Amino acid sequence: QVQLVESGGGLVQAGGSLRLSCTGPGRGFNDYHVGWWRHTPGIEYEFVGGISRNAGRREYADSVKGRFTISRDNAKKTVYLEMDTLRPEDTATYYCAAGYFLTNWTNSAMYESWGQGTQVTVSS
């Protein structure tokens, strides 16, 4: 397992942008695939997107394709989630999660480590 720390959440108007960061300060972060998830009370956790350990593969949920971009800087042990053209329905707590073996990126049980979450609120 690895320690994960998210940052960058906040309040933004619809149409605006935010960038979330997920940092793995301990050892091993760069060996893990990283996914972004979001959760709204009363709704199941939703897979947002993910990036492979070497950034050669990226996956996105249909709901965010073309608006969100995931990247990583292994020198900084950080994965980013750039969110553009935000909508009120993007309001949620966003989590990053790390998995060493990910045969199904959209299965939350395959991720071994989770961050504490960061709140994103999009006003209309």
Side-chain angles (χ1 to χ4, degrees), residues 8-124:
L11 174 64
V12 64
Q13 288 188 330
S17 299
L18 279 176
R19 188 177 77 162
L20 306 184
S21 299
C22 171
T23 301
R27 295 178 62 183
F29 177 80
N30 294 346
D31 295 329
Y32 285 76
H33 308 300
V34 175
W36 285 96
W37 293 73
R38 63 188 182 187
H39 181 245
T40 302
I43 301 175
E44 291 185 356
Y45 281 76
E46 178 187 9
F47 174 75
V48 175
I51 188 167
S52 61
R53 58 175 61 92
N54 64 358
R57 174 182 175 183
R58 291 173 175 84
E59 298 283 342
Y60 296 96
D62 288 342
S63 58
V64 306
K65 277 181 182 175
R67 301 188 298 121
F68 290 11
T69 304
I70 298 173
S71 61
R72 72 187 295 164
D73 184 341
N74 281 347
K76 296 182 179 181
K77 296 184 179 181
T78 300
V79 169
Y80 303 98
L81 176 64
E82 181 74 39
M83 305 184 293
D84 298 316
T85 320
L86 283 161
R87 305 166 180 168
E89 54 264 38
D90 294 317
T91 295
T93 302
Y94 283 71
Y95 299 86
C96 65
Y100 195 84
F101 297 109
L102 286 184
T103 56
N104 182 350
W105 289 58
T106 63
N107 183 349
S108 61
M110 301 205 72
Y111 292 82
E112 299 154 43
S113 303
W114 292 76
Q116 82 287 353
T118 186
Q119 178 66 35
V120 171
T121 302
V122 184
S123 62
S124 57

